[in-house]
Amino acid sequence: MSSATSAEQNSEAKPDVSQTIDKSTGRYQFRYQGNIVYEWDQTVDEVNVYVKLPPGVPANALECSISPTKVTVGIKGNPPYMDEPLFAPIKDSESYWTIEDGELHLTLAKMANARPWDAVSTRFPVLDVQQQEEVRKSIMRERFALENPGFDFSNAEFSGQVPDPEHFMRDLDK
């Protein structure tokens, strides 16, 4: 067997999995074999997952289960489309799903507010270092705005390393 054939087989055995950002929406796109599986974004207290539904699928045909550590989504009578362990625990009683414009939207309430998620699921690659840094900046800006109503931090810049938004100055909360 030639080395080229062996390399081709190895590339076929290892799926093409990536996370990119759609600059028009600000959502991260989880891709498998080049296809968008879902898009996602996050705020201080939520992770939002967006799944494009096949045309004509009504809400009552969906099965959606949200638990503190796992999300399962699919069409009744079929294997799940998503059956994923979550990156971090969520408050399942405050999490929910809706359908709008042919898109399933999962709103997952973070157990730990301001904790940045580097992926939706623990089974897939995390955001790259630059993307992680951008997420931390965004959450810090949102946190500053929540803690200082009336001030606009949307264009705030950080010099040096961005602080961890989950723990930054938390001792002041006491």
Side-chain angles (χ1 to χ4, degrees):
M1 178 182 288
S2 74
S3 61
T5 305
S6 177
E8 288 171 11
Q9 288 175 341
N10 286 341
S11 69
E12 289 175 7
K14 187 175 183 183
D16 173 28
V17 178
S18 66
Q19 294 211 50
T20 58
I21 189 162
D22 179 339
K23 294 193 186 294
S24 67
T25 63
R27 296 177 183 175
Y28 290 96
Q29 298 175 330
F30 174 72
R31 294 175 176 268
Y32 180 82
Q33 303 293 73
N35 298 310
I36 297 172
V37 176
Y38 58 81
E39 295 181 313
W40 68 285
D41 60 25
Q42 63 185 303
T43 65
V44 166
D45 54 0
E46 294 176 343
V47 171
N48 298 289
V49 180
Y50 309 90
V51 179
K52 195 68 144 170
L53 296 174
V57 173
N60 63 359
L62 291 177
E63 285 186 306
C64 188
S65 171
I66 300 173
S67 76
T69 59
K70 186 177 181 179
V71 168
T72 305
V73 174
I75 297 175
K76 291 178 184 173
N78 293 294
Y81 178 72
M82 287 178 64
D83 189 14
E84 304 302 332
L86 295 171
F87 182 79
I90 62 165
K91 301 172 191 171
D92 59 327
S93 63
E94 297 176 27
S95 300
Y96 57 92
W97 61 274
T98 59
I99 296 176
E100 185 175 332
D101 298 328
E103 187 173 67
L104 174 66
H105 176 191
L106 299 160
T107 301
L108 308 174
K110 293 179 179 179
M111 186 73 70
N113 282 351
R115 178 180 183 194
W117 283 30
D118 296 335
V120 171
S121 173
T122 58
R123 291 189 330 125
F124 302 119
V126 297
L127 299 173
D128 66 37
V129 174
Q130 184 177 2
Q131 292 169 329
Q132 290 175 22
E133 195 75 358
E134 288 304 314
V135 166
R136 280 155 181 70
K137 287 178 184 178
S138 175
I139 291 175
M140 283 299 294
R141 286 186 199 104
E142 185 180 354
R143 199 176 139 205
F144 289 157
L146 290 170
E147 293 171 356
N148 300 281
F151 289 93
D152 180 9
F153 293 94
S154 60
N155 294 317
E157 292 294 324
F158 296 88
S159 61
Q161 186 175 0
V162 179
D164 176 6
E166 183 180 5
H167 299 105
F168 180 70
M169 297 182 72
R170 284 294 179 187
D171 56 333
L172 297 179
D173 294 342
K174 296 176 184 174

